[in-house]
Amino acid sequence: MKSFHLARATAAALIGVAVMGMSAHAEIKNYEFQLVQPTVKAGADRIVAVRLVDKTSGKAVPDAVIFSTWLDMAPDGMQEMATKVTPMPGTEPGTYRFKATFGMAGRWQLSLGAKVQGETGAVENKLVVTAEQ
């Protein structure tokens, strides 16, 4: 009889762990990057600022670890037009800034990957920045 209760308790614990794992995985979808300004001037050393937001509360999320940045002209069909992205200090909590050269006017795709402290998984977004003359 004791082994039956032990098996039930083990099964209940495994179900609990599985449910907790699914909810933690789903929570990362509650975060997204948003552009502070959707346009920049074409040229060298332009600053692009983004805000990482918790969509459930609307609050900015500070102290995320940005592990991936990529900027290219994929929205205009020119993926080969890529440029270096350099992280810059943020001006307020939850805002992340990057310096890049926008070699020509057009639509540029900023791809970002980040880890949010206390969450499982990564936030990954692709944002379109328009470079103007």
Side-chain angles (χ1 to χ4, degrees):
M1 195 58 121
K2 285 185 180 182
S3 63
F4 174 73
H5 291 296
L6 181 60
R8 264 180 85 182
T10 302
L14 289 173
I15 290 170
V17 168
V19 168
M20 285 181 7
M22 288 188 306
S23 67
H25 181 68
E27 289 178 8
I28 201 67
K29 295 188 183 301
N30 292 335
Y31 299 94
E32 72 177 0
F33 284 103
Q34 300 172 347
L35 288 168
V36 172
Q37 287 288 335
T39 60
V40 297
K41 289 282 189 190
D45 297 333
R46 302 299 185 208
I47 301 295
V48 177
V50 298
R51 186 176 297 111
L52 181 58
V53 177
D54 180 341
K55 295 187 288 186
T56 58
S57 68
K59 294 183 180 180
V61 179
D63 303 323
V65 178
I66 309 292
F67 64 83
S68 175
T69 58
W70 183 258
L71 184 65
D72 63 27
M73 289 193 79
D76 285 344
M78 295 184 279
Q79 295 86 341
E80 66 281 354
M81 280 289 291
T83 188
K84 181 180 174 186
V85 179
T86 305
M88 302 295 292
T91 55
E92 58 190 68
T95 300
Y96 304 87
R97 296 171 8 130
F98 306 95
K99 180 170 62 172
T101 296
F102 291 82
M104 63 185 292
R107 294 178 302 156
W108 292 77
Q109 181 173 279
L110 177 62
S111 302
L112 298 168
K115 296 288 285 177
V116 175
Q117 292 185 18
E119 297 292 346
T120 302
V123 178
E124 296 180 13
N125 287 128
K126 295 178 186 302
L127 306 170
V128 176
V129 180
T130 303
E132 299 175 335
Q133 290 295 350

